[in-house]
Amino acid sequence: MSAAATTTTAVQLTVESPEQMQELGRRLAAVLRAGDLVLLTGALGAGKTTLARGLGEGLGVRGAVTSPTFVIARVHPSVSGGPPLVHVDAYRLGGGLEEMEDLDLDVSLPESVVVVEWGEGKVEELAEDRLHVVIERSRGGAPEQAADAGEADAEGAGEADVRHVTVTGVGERWAHGALAALART
């Protein structure tokens, strides 16, 4: 692995509602470009798909961005001249990159923004420069990975809605402050 792949920068955010999670996705889309790989990590109901929906809105893509759990991957072409969004759900894929080869993500990556839910430990080899987005729920004031909550739980009120999001840029692409804009509200 090259030295550039070891360069990391991180931004930590608190998100208090599904609407704010979607807005974070729109803000994140503003710093993305074709060739970017984004890994979304968090337990069921953490808000990964809600964030991806905001990414789709921010990138100006066609089609509703919904969980691709049963189809594994969906391509959303741009309607605004930007890159398409390739939205992948690796939850049911047990293996690493070898099992995902049939999806041809390496072919899609140069001209698309590729977002992989449940991709940690499976697709990092696709790009030295990538974003890792970790979403944790707050429980009793301390962040924890969301356990058995479905997306519907995100509609509840109070502390259950609070998410702690860490966006980590890995590689030279993210070493020069591109993520700083996310910290601004």
Side-chain angles (χ1 to χ4, degrees):
M1 196 178 289
S2 73
T6 60
T7 302
T8 62
T9 183
V11 174
Q12 294 185 327
L13 306 154
T14 299
V15 176
E16 297 180 352
S17 70
E19 295 78 20
Q20 285 184 4
M21 185 67 75
Q22 203 161 335
E23 174 59 27
L24 175 59
R26 287 188 289 270
R27 288 196 335 256
L28 181 56
V31 300
L32 295 176
R33 63 184 185 212
D36 284 339
L37 174 64
V38 181
L39 306 178
L40 303 181
T41 301
L44 291 171
K48 297 178 299 297
T49 300
T50 301
L51 181 72
R53 189 172 300 119
L55 285 169
E57 288 175 8
L59 290 170
V61 300
R62 183 175 60 220
V65 177
T66 60
S67 178
T69 300
F70 297 105
V71 294
I72 309 298
R74 282 196 176 97
V75 177
H76 297 274
S78 175
V79 296
S80 63
L85 171 66
V86 178
H87 185 201
V88 180
D89 188 329
Y91 182 74
R92 294 186 308 140
L93 303 177
L97 192 57
E98 303 80 33
E99 190 172 346
M100 298 192 69
E101 280 181 358
D102 288 340
L103 298 177
D104 287 331
L105 294 179
D106 55 336
V107 173
S108 300
L109 187 58
E111 70 270 356
S112 306
V113 170
V114 176
V115 176
V116 184
E117 295 187 28
W118 305 98
E120 189 172 15
K122 297 178 182 175
V123 297
E124 287 90 341
E125 295 173 30
L126 285 174
E128 284 187 7
D129 297 321
R130 60 193 173 274
L131 287 180
H132 289 251
V133 180
V134 178
I135 305 169
E136 299 176 315
R137 277 187 115 150
S138 184
R139 297 229 171 128
E144 294 181 11
Q145 289 274 338
D148 343 75
E151 287 289 340
D153 270 358
E155 302 299 326
E159 188 69 22
D161 275 353
V162 176
R163 305 296 197 266
H164 299 280
V165 181
T166 303
V167 181
T168 304
V170 177
E172 189 63 27
R173 157 92 168 91
W174 303 105
H176 304 288
L179 296 178
L182 294 179
R184 296 183 203 114
T185 53

